[in-house]
Amino acid sequence: MKKNNILYIIIPCFNEEKVLKNTTKRLVKKLNEFIKNNKISKNSKIMYVNDGSRDETWNIIKELNNKEKMVTGISLSRNKGHQNALLAGLMTAKEYADVVISMDADLQDDIDAIDEMLDKYYDGCQIVYGVRKARKKDSFFKRVTAQGFYKFMKLMGVDIIYNHADYRLTSKIVLDELENYKEVNLFLRGIFPLIGFKTDIVYYDRAERFAGKSKYPLKKMLNFAWDGITSFSVKPIRFILTFGILILILSFILICYSIVMKITNHTVPGWTFIICSIWFIAGVQMLSLGIIGEYIGKIYNETKGRPRFIISENLLETKETRYKD
């Protein structure tokens, strides 16, 4: 594969005013090294995607765009969430770039891993996943829940790369195929393995966030995990069916037992067992209806066919652009 390809680095941003200037400085230096070594084209860029930030994020991006030719950006009309913001960046960048790398604004993902990513790309890989070597710097709770999430996704039959977030290299060929995936409930970590092509992995050490706060508190992490599970697996519904059959068998055994006890006059007066059974069955029914409701809700969102994002400003163009799926 020929070198000097145009590289775009896609960075979703939500209230990232504290990190943008430092991030830009480090990435511009990195890209200039690649250009000097004839590894990427001089037309390569850093593309920030403003996901409806409420601080000065977009103004800083425009300021950086005016000062640094390598910096560009797009701004969504409102906050659409990390996955949709990332998709907006990928779908916009594929019209200008040969290869794209997505990463977070705080640069906790080691930018030196880009060297090896590009090497693997030029060796013929169309997707290169950035995977954390370990989670030693995470809190005990986050480490356990994150590892449990990946293992549970595997158990549910989802093809997912262990300890991989959204730090990855993808070629234009892959992005053209990604455009054919129209689902509204996005979980890109599960979609990319479905696309196929030659892939590889680059391992790296994740650093501490140097400024600002994490945009993924516990509530968002739980919602993200639930979206991933229900968007790529029907096993929870099958589990409900299996569990229902087991309860039916257990109920039949208890009925037989009750009849035998009645015939032999060994019945014990009391209502505890009956009350516990009623509450247990009611709880199972409510849980089952809730899980089924989640799937129905996702079907509802998919059938409406609403755009996954709307771009209100695009610094790559002179006029306002709206990009729909």
Side-chain angles (χ1 to χ4, degrees), residues 11 57 66 74 84 103 135 179 210 272 290:
I11 304 177
T57 293
N66 290 329
I74 59 175
N84 285 301
M103 63 194 313
R135 289 183 171 270
E179 193 172 13
F210 64 84
T272 304

Side-chain angles (χ1 to χ4, degrees), residues 23 52 54 73 95 110 115 141 144 150 153 172 222 281 310:
T23 295
R54 293 187 288 268
E95 302 302 325
D110 183 11
D115 299 66
F141 177 78
V144 171
Y150 286 105
M153 290 291 283
K172 178 177 172 58
L222 291 175
I281 297 299
I310 297 174

Side-chain angles (χ1 to χ4, degrees), residues 11-178:
I11 304 177
C13 302
F14 177 67
N15 296 342
E16 296 286 6
E17 61 181 4
K18 293 182 179 180
V19 305
L20 286 176
K21 292 182 179 180
N22 187 285
T23 295
T24 300
K25 181 180 178 181
R26 292 171 61 186
L27 285 176
V28 166
K29 181 181 178 181
K30 192 70 178 175
L31 291 183
N32 279 326
E33 290 176 3
F34 289 144
I35 293 171
K36 183 179 179 181
N37 295 326
N38 206 32
K39 206 166 187 176
I40 61 173
S41 167
K42 62 181 180 179
N43 295 320
S44 298
K45 292 185 182 295
I46 302 160
M47 177 187 281
Y48 292 111
V49 182
N50 176 42
D51 185 22
S53 299
R54 293 187 288 268
D55 60 4
E56 292 298 307
T57 293
W58 182 237
N59 289 331
I60 294 173
I61 293 171
K62 290 191 289 185
E63 177 187 331
L64 292 168
N65 173 252
N66 290 329
K67 293 180 179 179
E68 175 55 64
K69 66 178 182 179
M70 280 189 177
V71 176
T72 187
I74 59 175
S75 183
L76 304 190
S77 59
R78 61 180 292 268
N79 178 257
K80 294 293 289 184
H82 180 272
Q83 296 291 280
N84 285 301
L86 178 54
L87 181 69
L90 294 174
M91 292 297 99
T92 303
K94 79 180 184 68
E95 302 302 325
Y96 304 89
D98 300 304
V99 59
V100 169
I101 291 177
S102 59
M103 63 194 313
D104 291 337
D106 54 23
L107 292 193
Q108 286 185 277
D109 300 319
D110 183 11
I111 63 174
D112 289 332
I114 297 176
D115 299 66
E116 192 176 351
M117 285 183 171
L118 286 173
D119 288 339
K120 291 182 180 295
Y121 166 69
Y122 286 124
D123 284 339
C125 291
Q126 303 298 329
I127 305 175
V128 183
Y129 299 101
V131 175
R132 296 175 63 170
K133 290 180 181 178
R135 289 183 171 270
K136 295 178 181 179
K137 294 181 180 179
D138 287 349
S139 65
F140 175 78
F141 177 78
K142 186 173 182 179
R143 182 168 61 253
V144 171
T145 52
Q147 291 175 342
F149 165 70
Y150 286 105
K151 291 177 181 177
F152 186 71
M153 290 291 283
K154 283 287 187 181
L155 182 65
M156 290 291 104
V158 180
D159 187 8
I160 189 171
I161 307 299
Y162 186 72
N163 268 348
H164 165 69
D166 286 298
Y167 187 27
R168 73 178 72 84
L169 175 149
T170 48
S171 70
K172 178 177 172 58
I173 295 172
V174 173
L175 295 179
D176 286 337
E177 295 303 324
L178 175 64

Side-chain angles (χ1 to χ4, degrees), residues 241-252:
L241 175 62
T242 304
F243 195 52
I245 293 172
L246 291 175
I247 290 178
L248 182 64
I249 295 172
L250 178 61
S251 300
F252 179 75

Side-chain angles (χ1 to χ4, degrees), residues 155-158 228-242 291-292 295 299:
L155 182 65
M156 290 291 104
V158 180
I229 293 167
T230 54
S231 295
F232 279 84
S233 177
V234 296
K235 283 194 176 182
I237 289 183
R238 290 174 181 170
F239 172 77
I240 291 172
L241 175 62
T242 304
I291 294 176
I292 295 171
Y295 280 92
I299 294 171

